[in-house]
Amino acid sequence: MNHLTPEQLFDLTEGNLPPQEAGALQQHLASCGLCQEQYQLYIALEDDLRSLEAPEVSPGFALNVTRKLRDRETARIFHRPVFKVFQFALVLSFILAVGIIITQLSSHQIDLPEIVVPGGTYYVIAVACVAIIAVADRVIYGSAKKNL
């Protein structure tokens, strides 16, 4: 014997069914004790749930939910491939700009104290760029990951 599914019992309890389908299920309930027992449990549960008072919501609840949803969407934007390409292009253009500035400074006769760095000037530029990328990654993705 086929019994009613939980979905059918729920829809019957809530009155979500067309009259013909509801009538067919009611006929089944009249002849099936197990389904009738389950149906009575659904009705009792619905009555209990309707008798509960709605919980009070704090005044800032809607604002907090909205803020968390916005933060989540922001985090998704930062993880999109298009943003990563943009980030790479931005870092690359920064490196290029620093290189041009250093080249321009080195072509002029400016009396700057000479600093001896192991690996040379380009090594310093590379280390500085890696440090900037690491800090930017921490600021952008670190705060975005906390909100996920």
Side-chain angles (χ1 to χ4, degrees):
M1 172 182 261
N2 290 335
H3 295 290
L4 299 181
T5 65
E7 290 81 14
Q8 289 173 317
L9 290 168
F10 177 78
D11 287 339
L12 187 61
T13 305
E14 291 292 313
N16 297 336
L17 298 173
Q20 289 178 337
E21 190 176 344
L25 295 180
Q26 289 288 356
Q27 284 180 349
H28 176 80
L29 286 175
S31 64
C32 180
L34 182 62
C35 290
Q36 179 65 31
E37 186 179 313
Q38 291 295 316
Y39 180 64
Q40 292 303 321
L41 287 173
Y42 273 78
I43 290 175
L45 179 63
E46 182 181 4
D47 290 343
D48 288 345
L49 290 174
R50 289 189 192 275
S51 69
L52 293 175
E53 291 183 30
E56 288 190 34
V57 179
S58 66
F61 177 76
L63 181 64
N64 288 337
V65 169
T66 305
R67 186 178 298 135
K68 286 185 181 188
L69 288 172
R70 184 188 63 230
D71 291 346
R72 225 178 225 181
E73 184 59 30
T74 302
R76 285 189 192 125
I77 289 170
F78 286 133
H79 289 296
R80 290 185 179 154
V82 172
F83 183 76
K84 292 197 183 270
V85 169
F86 173 73
Q87 183 184 21
F88 177 74
L90 187 64
V91 169
L92 191 60
S93 57
F94 175 75
I95 293 170
L96 183 61
V98 169
I100 290 171
I101 290 170
I102 289 177
T103 304
Q104 291 296 319
L105 285 176
S106 65
S107 67
H108 292 70
Q109 295 299 327
I110 301 173
D111 293 330
L112 295 174
E114 188 169 327
I115 302 171
V116 179
V117 179
T121 308
Y122 295 111
Y123 178 76
V124 172
I125 294 172
V127 169
C129 290
V130 168
I132 290 169
I133 292 169
V135 169
D137 184 65
R138 186 76 144 158
V139 168
I140 293 172
Y141 294 117
S143 63
K145 286 178 185 174
K146 283 190 275 187
N147 296 322
L148 287 177

